[in-house]
Amino acid sequence: DHDDSEPLTLDIDQNGNADEKNDCVYLNIKENMEEGKSTTYMKLGASLSDEWGFDYISKIDDDSVLAIELLLELMEDELPPMPYNRRTYGGGIWASYAHHHMYAPGQFYFMSADLAHYVSNEITPEDRRKKMHWRHTEDADMGSFVFSNERPIKYINLNTQKIWAHPMKTEKEFRSAWASIGWKLPQYGVQFPFGPLCRTWLQGNGV
């Protein structure tokens, strides 16, 4: 976890290579799933928000293809700017039975800058470890961090209008998705996936 006074970013990657085009950011943390990479990224996002006034910080998997035009429409129509967006968190929707909360799958999610600050600066690394799941679930852990906030969280559910395609595991799949993104997205789905998440409820046995 990035919990010391070392700089958040570096000028070179782990192999000593610099980005000649100056369009990459190298986080000062080793590649990992559960040891602070995502919260370090949120910490960087929160610091950039302090400097530049960013309203939201988003995260996307490298095998997701995002429809930028639809993202801009979402931002324009549904996402208020600071300070009217406090404690806003969104993406698709899934559930953690272990921790009894909803969370946004890691394919694509976003949170307001104040929440990014909360999960990365206000929760200590020790407390974050206590809130983590026993198996490697970065997105579910992030949901645990978000919902540990004592104040209400506004959740924006994008299940009914997904603006990204996932998973695109090969270059061919990625390029094909990018070429067809204008007519394949958004993907319309159910508000809540009762089938996989509420089997007991569907069987008439309550929750």
Side-chain angles (χ1 to χ4, degrees):
D1 211 329
H2 199 287
D3 59 347
D4 52 34
S5 59
E6 293 297 316
L8 270 173
T9 61
L10 300 173
D11 295 328
I12 57 176
D13 65 13
Q14 67 270 24
N15 298 316
N17 300 317
D19 173 35
E20 296 180 356
K21 295 183 179 180
N22 198 33
D23 62 356
C24 292
V25 175
Y26 301 119
L27 290 177
N28 189 11
I29 188 169
K30 67 179 181 180
E31 175 62 33
N32 67 84
M33 177 68 74
E34 294 290 290
E35 296 299 326
K37 181 181 71 173
S38 294
T39 50
T40 299
Y41 172 74
M42 289 299 169
K43 190 173 186 176
L44 173 65
S47 68
L48 292 175
S49 176
D50 290 341
E51 182 177 0
W52 298 99
F54 295 158
D55 298 315
Y56 298 89
I57 314 300
S58 64
K59 175 264 182 190
I60 189 169
D61 282 350
D62 60 6
D63 59 348
S64 292
V65 180
L66 181 67
I68 302 301
E69 183 176 346
L70 295 178
L71 174 62
L72 294 175
E73 288 182 9
L74 174 71
M75 293 166 61
E76 179 70 21
D77 297 339
E78 304 292 341
L79 302 183
M82 291 190 296
Y84 308 105
N85 66 340
R86 287 191 294 263
R87 298 182 305 280
T88 297
Y89 171 51
I93 195 165
W94 205 248
S96 166
Y97 284 114
H99 290 197
H100 309 291
H101 64 69
M102 310 307 298
Y103 67 90
Q107 303 167 13
F108 171 73
Y109 64 75
F110 62 90
M111 64 184 70
S112 52
D114 65 302
L115 271 185
H117 175 81
Y118 172 75
V119 301
S120 60
N121 291 301
E122 295 186 37
I123 307 177
T124 67
E126 292 75 19
D127 284 342
R128 283 198 294 268
R129 291 188 184 95
K130 293 176 183 178
K131 300 178 191 302
M132 290 166 60
H133 293 70
W134 64 270
R135 61 187 177 90
H136 289 182
T137 49
E138 173 273 333
D139 44 11
D141 289 342
M142 187 62 74
S144 295
F145 305 154
V146 167
F147 283 105
S148 70
N149 194 301
E150 295 181 353
R151 302 295 302 278
I153 302 298
K154 179 181 180 181
Y155 196 97
I156 297 181
N157 181 6
L158 298 183
N159 258 23
T160 56
Q161 194 168 352
K162 286 179 62 176
I163 61 174
W164 67 94
H166 176 275
M168 302 299 152
K169 295 296 186 181
T170 67
E171 180 179 349
K172 182 179 180 180
E173 289 176 331
F174 198 96
R175 288 182 178 276
S176 175
W178 182 256
S180 60
I181 206 167
W183 58 272
K184 285 192 174 181
L185 294 176
Q187 294 177 354
Y188 298 101
V190 296
Q191 181 78 13
F192 185 84
F194 279 99
L197 293 182
C198 297
R199 295 175 187 268
T200 302
W201 182 83
L202 289 174
Q203 293 167 0
N205 299 320
V207 294

